Amino acid sequence: MKRPAPFEKPILITKPLLPELEELMPLMEKIWSSSQLTNNGAMARQLEKELGLYLKADNLSLFSNGTIALQIACKLLRLSGEVITTPFTFAATTNSLAWCNLNPVFCDVEDDTLNLDVNHIEELITEKTTAILPVHVFGNPCKVDRIQQIAEKYNLKVIYDAAHAFGVEIDGRAIGSFGDVSMFSLHATKIYHTIEGGALTFGNRYLKQRADWIRNFGLIGEACIMEPGTNGKLNEVQAAVGLQVLKLVDKEIEGRKLVVNRYKEKLKNIPGIRFFNEIDGVKYNYPYCVIRISSGSFGMTRDEVHEELKKYNVFTRRYFYPLCSNFQCYRNIPSADVHRLPVAAAAAQEVLALPLHGRLEMDDVDRICELLIYLFK
Ligand code: T4K
């Protein structure tokens, strides 16, 4: 097979969804003429309403980023001691626990979704456990019913890291309606974004009310602070971008679905490459196109493929490698022992996220697939 030509321009892992500048300008003019730039202004309030409708959440609050939102969720539920979580996630999940003086307890993941393995949660529960923090990794929903049963049995709170799961539904039920609180990241690299931003959805309006105080230093009115807060507000410019990006998100998800299906079709017969199976009844949002490469059958390790593709101007990402439990600051925790996390450890060596956004040309997808087929041969 002839060596494929490299791409003329770099193909990056993603490209943020951007509204037309002329559609954004009228909102910018409104902000400029009001001179309300932040502190729960009109744009932020409007976006909270619109996102609440989109995500089918009666109680939703916006934050300056997903990480601070996650930390606020931990404070909100007054967690202490240990929280059971997954090592197969972005550092922000584990870091948020540590920042709230909580001890992460790592639980292995299931091979088919790479989400928290519900069969291993109970054995990790101790007197100090106060919550479970699962992640809907790559938008694949966790086993929410089983997690809820365990939480009720042991009186634990559940915070879902739904950073990747914007718009995902299980049998018509919004993903953010499970657990006590769910966090969505609205970062530029996500399918829906406010440049930087985060959202929490809550089981009740009292939690939302407290979260709104906490994101504004804890201030209630001008002169009262009941509990210490932080500064976690989304500003007006970000909210305006979010209002415009929301108009584009459905089309973006449709485009991504086509791209993912094209990757699946073109790579389906390549030994050593596998995709996640879709679960019946789930409305997916296609935030990443992650394949798993088993070097034995493919003939190259995931790392070799990742490096080799760079020579062709294709920049993939190893989401999520290394495991959070492998970071220097966490690796001495007993539950971080790699022998206790065999499924997560294997996945971290195999996963590779391919370039994906809704505007990626099919010709480019085909060329990336041809490159992978060429590497296989
Ligand atoms: N929980 C989970 C499970 C998460 O995945 C995340 C974040 C969080 C919590 C925390 O949420 P936030 O606090 O971030 O809201 C990215 C993102 O920064 C991060 O939001 C995301 N997860 C993580 C999985 O990925 P990097 O280090 O991969 O991003 P970076 O800068 O390398 O960007 C990737 C590619 O995107 C680049 O090749 C170019 C393109 N890009 C990126 C940016 C920022 C652009 O074209 N424009 C841009 O503005 O972390």
Side-chain angles (χ1 to χ4, degrees):
M1 191 179 177
K2 199 175 148 227
R3 185 177 191 269
F7 281 85
E8 303 69 39
K9 286 190 184 154
I11 303 283
L12 303 178
I13 184 75
T14 195
K15 193 171 187 179
L17 194 51
L18 282 174
E20 296 297 331
L21 263 185
E22 52 269 31
E23 285 173 18
L24 192 60
M25 284 325 281
L27 298 190
M28 292 299 146
E29 279 159 14
K30 268 194 193 166
I31 296 171
W32 260 239
S33 66
S34 76
S35 61
Q36 178 84 32
L37 305 183
T38 183
N39 289 10
N40 206 24
M43 297 287 163
R45 292 197 307 271
Q46 178 68 19
L47 185 61
E48 266 188 6
K49 262 193 218 146
E50 293 195 18
L51 274 183
L53 289 173
Y54 189 91
L55 295 174
K56 300 184 181 170
D58 292 338
N59 300 294
L60 177 145
S61 297
L62 289 170
F63 300 87
S64 45
N65 59 67
T67 305
I68 196 97
L70 209 46
Q71 291 164 18
I72 288 176
C74 295
K75 294 284 181 192
L76 206 54
L77 298 176
R78 301 199 165 93
L79 304 186
S80 61
E82 298 175 355
V83 176
I84 297 172
T85 191
T86 168
F88 189 82
T89 181
F90 189 57
T93 314
T94 320
N95 287 350
S96 294
L97 294 174
W99 268 63
C100 293
N101 288 326
L102 296 163
N103 296 318
V105 175
F106 296 109
C107 176
D108 206 1
V109 298
E110 352 168 276
D111 188 61
D112 50 349
T113 61
L114 302 186
N115 287 331
L116 211 56
D117 187 337
V118 290
N119 295 318
H120 288 303
I121 295 176
E122 283 187 273
E123 65 207 46
L124 296 168
I125 296 174
T126 70
E127 284 163 7
K128 294 182 189 152
T129 311
T130 56
I132 310 172
L133 171 53
V135 181
H136 302 296
V137 180
F138 310 138
N140 282 323
C142 294
K143 298 221 161 40
V144 287
D145 292 338
R146 185 74 190 107
I147 290 171
Q148 193 57 36
Q149 275 173 0
I150 297 171
E152 282 170 17
K153 182 171 167 192
Y154 295 92
N155 196 20
L156 305 176
K157 302 287 186 198
V158 180
I159 300 176
Y160 280 106
D161 181 333
H164 305 166
F166 187 89
V168 169
E169 294 181 5
I170 308 174
D171 294 326
R173 186 170 160 189
I175 197 80
S177 66
F178 297 95
D180 295 278
V181 182
S182 293
M183 181 283 286
F184 297 87
S185 165
L186 312 181
H187 182 262
T189 54
K190 302 293 186 292
I191 49 170
Y192 170 77
H193 73 93
T194 55
I195 304 178
E196 289 271 3
L200 293 179
T201 55
F202 314 92
N204 67 61
R205 67 193 163 92
Y206 303 105
L207 286 175
K208 170 175 165 54
Q209 177 62 83
R210 273 184 54 228
D212 290 352
W213 290 328
I214 293 176
R215 76 177 168 192
N216 188 32
F217 314 102
L219 275 169
I220 304 174
E222 276 183 40
C224 171
I225 287 187
M226 301 273 282
E227 62 183 310
T230 184
N231 184 349
K233 290 163 282 145
L234 188 80
N235 70 50
E236 288 293 274
V237 172
Q238 287 170 277
V241 170
L243 284 167
Q244 291 303 321
V245 174
L246 195 54
K247 296 179 182 162
L248 310 174
V249 73
D250 284 336
K251 196 165 167 237
E252 172 68 13
I253 293 173
E254 275 170 36
R256 282 168 176 254
K257 181 176 180 174
L258 294 175
V259 171
V260 170
N261 285 340
R262 183 73 149 233
Y263 274 126
K264 283 185 175 170
E265 178 57 30
K266 292 266 166 183
L267 298 173
K268 69 178 177 208
N269 294 324
I270 307 300
I273 291 187
R274 69 178 156 129
F275 289 84
F276 293 92
N277 291 325
E278 293 199 357
I279 303 162
D280 284 346
V282 173
K283 182 179 163 201
Y284 284 96
N285 66 348
Y286 307 96
Y288 298 94
C289 183
V290 176
I291 55 172
R292 289 184 68 171
I293 298 177
S294 15
S295 53
S297 329
F298 189 74
M300 249 187 187
T301 64
R302 183 276 317 272
D303 287 347
E304 285 166 344
V305 175
H306 174 64
E307 284 308 313
E308 201 58 29
L309 287 175
K310 288 182 189 169
K311 296 180 187 160
Y312 295 88
N313 238 348
V314 175
F315 295 88
T316 56
R317 295 302 282 261
R318 294 171 295 179
Y319 296 138
F320 287 104
Y321 166 85
L323 293 178
C324 287
S325 48
N326 256 353
F327 289 127
Q328 198 170 338
C329 50
Y330 302 122
R331 67 168 66 131
N332 292 328
I333 298 173
S335 62
D337 181 348
V338 72
H339 299 104
R340 297 183 183 202
L341 306 168
V343 181
Q349 297 303 323
E350 293 185 355
V351 279
L352 191 67
L354 303 177
L356 174 64
H357 57 81
R359 294 131 290 140
L360 194 57
E361 298 289 339
M362 285 301 171
D363 282 352
D364 290 345
V365 179
D366 290 349
R367 281 181 68 188
I368 296 167
C369 293
E370 278 157 25
L371 275 170
L372 283 163
I373 294 166
Y374 173 77
L375 294 183
F376 166 70
K377 286 178 174 161

